[in-house]
Amino acid sequence: MITEGKTPNLLGLPQAGLEAFFADLGEKPFRARQVMQWIHQRGAGEFAVMSDLSRELRVRLSQVAEVTLPRVIVEKTSVDGTVKWLFESGAGQAVESVFIPEPGRGTLCISSQVGCALDCAFCATGAQGFNRNLSTSEIIGQVAHANRALPRRHGGEAAVTNVVFMGMGEPLANYRNLLPALELLVADLGYGLSRRRVTVSTSGIVPHIERLGDECNVSLAVSLHAPDDALRDRLVPINRVHPIAELLDACWRYAAKRANRFITFEYVMLKDVNDSPAAAETLAKLLSNRPAKVNLIPFNPFPGSDFRRSPEDAIAGFQARLRRHSVIATTRKTRGEDIDAACGQLAGKVSDRVRIRLSEKNKRTVTA
Ligand code: SAH
Ligand code: SF4
């Protein structure tokens, strides 16, 4: 676990925070810029290597601050090149990240919480319950680790070119720690990723979709999974708090804030549950003539789940029906199945889970 106690972990401080830290030390703001580049671009793990700082300042920093990455418990590599890491998260718990190499890009799928309180019916993380939010250092530490562990790309670019918050947890339920992590990902002196290459995936915490649109308009993916409230109430229980119409309104406003960028709608294909031609028709009505793309995700089974994956022809038929209504639709290629790294299979290790049940009454607890 990364201690967020007395010694500040500079890994999780975006530029403004780092400048305030150096101001407290009586140092100039450009020190913050130098240290940011050392940590996030040059992979420094200790102050001693930061050769453009004076020896005196390096010694002082090592006394008052740290750069601590999460500890890796296990690394697994799939036959398809996907890499999964299990990071220690304190009290015998762990979270997972997955690196997916593709021609021209390297996508890192990262976690935002230990477990998840939102309890979606088809999700291994949800089945485990919720323990706690990850700190900003623990979120960004997953990217920092991957870039240190993986070889650089041709031309010297860092291995991670895209980041998606599709690992364990609901990122918008950890908004306070998510926002500085996003700032570091898009900062020129941080990871320098364009907002397009950073995707927050949410099951639909509407008030925080609005905030994100104003504060850091990265790409948005929304876990829709059902075309009507009756079914979505069952599959994605947060729908009882923020139903489809309210969610879609927030999505269209989000898209409008930045040159009508497309929202991706994730739709897990569950056999005989949400994969009928009628469901495709209803979904098409909701999304046609909107800045929307649908990404169909073949369900990935996990121990204890009763759902089954829709057959390939049902998925292809569903996709074709959406396209007939001019809705852009793709099917996600399943990667890393042999190492349990596919969507929805990330279980990490959640112990001492805090029993939070989603209901109207306790929604404040869930989204704090
Ligand atoms: N909490 C966020 C992000 C993490 S889940 C969210 O729900 O959007 C990332 C994606 O994987 C979501 O679309 C989620 O619905 C999907 N998913 C969850 N369990 C799955 C499973 N067993 N098979 C396929 N996709 C799954
Ligand atoms: Fe949480 Fe997302 Fe899983 Fe739902 S699908 S339980 S929001 S991690």
Side-chain angles (χ1 to χ4, degrees):
M1 179 160 132
I2 300 175
T3 43
E4 301 287 354
K6 281 208 188 92
T7 316
N9 189 356
L10 303 193
L11 182 68
L13 287 185
Q15 192 169 339
L18 211 48
E19 284 177 355
F21 170 81
F22 277 99
D24 280 352
L25 291 183
E27 294 285 338
K28 295 267 186 316
F30 76 91
R31 295 295 177 205
R33 298 197 285 274
Q34 287 175 312
V35 168
M36 250 181 107
Q37 283 177 300
W38 275 109
I39 296 174
H40 303 293
Q41 296 179 356
R42 302 167 82 169
E46 52 189 42
F47 299 108
V49 301
M50 300 184 184
S51 52
D52 49 6
L53 307 183
S54 70
R55 191 176 300 269
E56 195 193 350
L57 179 57
R58 282 182 264 164
V59 171
R60 186 147 177 235
L61 285 174
S62 63
Q63 289 162 348
V64 298
E66 60 186 29
V67 179
T68 306
L69 271 65
R71 198 175 69 79
V72 175
I73 307 172
V74 180
E75 176 185 300
K76 284 187 185 170
T77 304
S78 157
V79 288
D80 67 18
T82 301
V83 185
K84 178 169 95 166
W85 293 281
L86 191 67
F87 294 101
E88 204 220 323
S89 319
Q93 315 202 79
V95 295
E96 296 183 315
S97 309
V98 178
F99 179 74
I100 305 144
E102 284 173 293
R105 67 174 163 188
T107 303
L108 190 70
C109 174
I110 61 176
S111 296
S112 55
Q113 299 183 308
V114 182
C116 183
L118 299 195
D119 208 17
C120 300
F122 48 80
C123 173
T125 307
Q128 290 195 307
F130 173 76
N131 182 272
R132 69 175 179 88
N133 286 327
L134 294 183
S135 67
T136 303
S137 302
E138 290 172 310
I139 295 173
I140 215 69
Q142 298 167 65
V143 186
H145 174 77
N147 275 343
R148 283 161 171 75
L150 298 165
R152 283 185 173 264
R153 306 171 63 78
H154 281 308
E157 204 190 349
V160 177
T161 65
N162 295 60
V163 173
V164 297
F165 285 80
M166 295 182 186
M168 295 169 66
E170 167 52 51
L172 293 189
N174 183 14
Y175 194 87
R176 194 182 313 153
N177 298 336
L178 172 74
L179 191 64
L182 295 175
E183 285 170 7
L184 281 167
L185 290 173
V186 302
D188 286 343
L189 298 171
Y191 294 84
L193 302 180
S194 84
R195 279 160 208 266
R196 232 167 250 289
R197 287 171 174 260
V198 177
T199 303
V200 168
S201 175
T202 179
S203 56
I205 300 182
V206 168
H208 287 138
I209 293 179
E210 303 279 359
R211 263 185 86 179
L212 188 68
D214 294 332
E215 293 176 352
C216 192
N217 200 283
V218 291
S219 296
L220 185 70
V222 170
S223 294
L224 195 59
H225 304 314
D228 60 72
D229 284 325
L231 181 57
R232 194 162 191 270
D233 279 354
R234 281 205 287 129
L235 297 179
V236 185
I238 188 80
N239 196 66
R240 299 171 203 162
V241 183
H242 302 295
I244 292 177
E246 191 191 329
L247 173 59
L248 292 183
D249 267 358
C251 289
W252 311 141
R253 280 197 297 277
Y254 191 98
K257 279 177 189 158
R258 205 174 175 86
N260 255 352
R261 181 123 49 76
F262 279 64
I263 309 285
T264 300
F265 290 93
E266 294 156 286
Y267 195 100
V268 62
M269 294 298 285
L270 305 168
K271 184 172 190 294
D272 300 333
V273 175
N274 65 354
D275 63 349
S276 67
E281 292 290 329
T282 317
L283 184 63
K285 279 203 192 86
L286 291 178
L287 303 183
S288 65
N289 299 317
R290 296 290 194 176
K293 293 180 199 172
V294 176
N295 194 210
L296 302 175
I297 315 175
F299 171 65
N300 294 306
F302 56 92
S305 91
D306 294 334
F307 293 105
R308 282 163 303 156
R309 180 183 291 185
S310 304
E312 263 175 45
D313 58 341
I315 299 178
F318 199 95
Q319 179 174 319
R321 206 170 274 272
L322 291 174
R323 286 182 172 175
R324 238 175 277 143
H325 290 280
S326 306
V327 175
I328 302 167
T330 50
T331 299
R332 190 174 295 173
K333 218 169 117 197
T334 290
R335 300 279 303 257
E337 271 180 305
D338 54 330
I339 55 167
D340 288 339
C343 290
Q345 290 184 323
L346 301 186
K349 205 168 167 212
V350 181
S351 48
D352 300 330
R353 60 190 180 168
V354 181
R355 279 253 168 220
I356 297 182
R357 279 284 151 260
L358 187 70
S359 70
E360 192 67 44
K361 212 172 66 201
N362 66 13
K363 71 181 176 192
R364 278 172 202 283
T365 329
V366 174
T367 60

